[in-house]
Amino acid sequence: MVDTKLRVLISAEKIQARIRELGEQISHDYPTGTLHMICILKGACFFLTDLARAMKRDVTIDFMGISTYGKGKTSSGEVRVTKDLDISLEGAEVVIVEDIVDSGVTLNYLMHVLDQRKPHSIRIAALLDKPERRLRPVHVNYVGFQIPDEFVVGYGLDYAEQYRNLDDICVLDEPPAQ
Ligand code: IMP
Ligand code: MG
């Protein structure tokens, strides 16, 4: 796909190498028991499928849809669950798998929602982190890459539902007004 607005920030090779490391690290941190990976749709679907296959142990997977309103500079932060989980979390070891942590509004909300379901533990794996943009506190246990405050697309991340299927993570040089 040739698009002059796109500039590669993290190549497909670097993404895959980092995910292999994360898979080993997370597997090491959970030596026994069932590990339940929750993919936050839609952006994290590519990351989830690669990360699950990089794990050196059995895992179960599930999917959750979240939509965030009032985002951007004002970030009033209204969050809504659009697709709920299929499996109960009671007593489970849970890893939330997210594409990117930006303001932190989504994950801050989600941690509260999922905590009420009485899992044994919850950790967060995010492929990308933009720490400069944080408005709400979120502890991200596993980070793929910290990136600067730029709008990125590819490897699951979209702009208006486009560019998700790029292999690389790219900066969109004409970013949307936020
Ligand atoms: P937060 O609630 O502000 O942390 O938002 C996280 C969500 O915003 C992510 O799951 C993405 O869907 C979206 N998002 C944040 N930054 C970007 C970006 O640079 N590109 C594409 N989507 C983004
Ligand atoms: Mg998302």
Side-chain angles (χ1 to χ4, degrees):
M1 201 184 304
V2 180
D3 190 325
T4 53
K5 296 193 292 294
L6 299 175
R7 176 165 48 88
V8 175
L9 182 69
I10 309 169
S11 69
E13 292 71 26
K14 284 192 181 145
I15 296 168
Q16 294 303 326
R18 182 69 184 123
I19 291 175
R20 280 194 294 275
E21 290 175 357
L22 288 175
E24 285 184 13
Q25 187 186 349
I26 299 170
S27 306
H28 178 265
D29 291 352
Y30 294 89
T32 57
T34 305
L35 182 58
H36 195 51
M37 300 175 77
I38 297 178
C39 172
I40 308 305
L41 295 171
K42 304 173 195 168
C45 68
F46 293 73
F47 180 37
L48 180 275
T49 57
D50 285 338
L51 183 61
R53 286 176 293 180
M55 300 288 289
K56 306 292 178 208
R57 62 167 350 268
D58 285 341
V59 294
T60 53
I61 62 173
D62 205 347
F63 297 86
M64 190 161 197
I66 300 281
S67 95
T68 312
Y69 296 101
K71 281 192 49 140
K73 284 182 178 149
T74 53
S75 199
S76 63
E78 190 189 328
V79 186
R80 194 166 59 97
V81 175
T82 57
K83 187 226 170 282
D84 209 339
L85 300 170
D86 295 333
I87 306 173
S88 160
L89 297 185
E90 202 170 331
E93 312 292 354
V94 173
V95 175
I96 298 173
V97 179
E98 176 61 304
D99 51 2
I100 184 165
V101 191
D102 185 31
S103 69
V105 168
T106 307
L107 280 174
N108 183 283
Y109 167 85
L110 200 58
M111 288 297 277
H112 287 107
V113 169
L114 297 185
D115 207 41
Q116 289 164 11
R117 301 183 186 187
K118 311 262 181 287
H120 184 260
S121 70
I122 310 184
R123 289 186 181 176
I124 296 173
L127 182 62
L128 304 174
D129 184 13
K130 287 192 219 174
E132 290 166 45
R133 299 257 306 171
R134 206 71 94 249
L135 296 174
R136 301 274 169 85
V138 175
H139 181 62
V140 187
N141 305 85
Y142 305 101
V143 178
F145 303 91
Q146 286 200 346
I147 62 167
D149 179 10
E150 293 189 282
F151 195 83
V152 290
V153 294
Y155 195 70
L157 291 137
D158 74 309
Y159 170 55
E161 295 297 328
Q162 290 184 70
Y163 306 114
R164 290 194 197 275
N165 59 325
L166 297 174
D167 284 331
D168 307 310
I169 290 169
C170 300
V171 173
L172 189 60
D173 270 331
E174 285 169 31
Q178 289 187 59

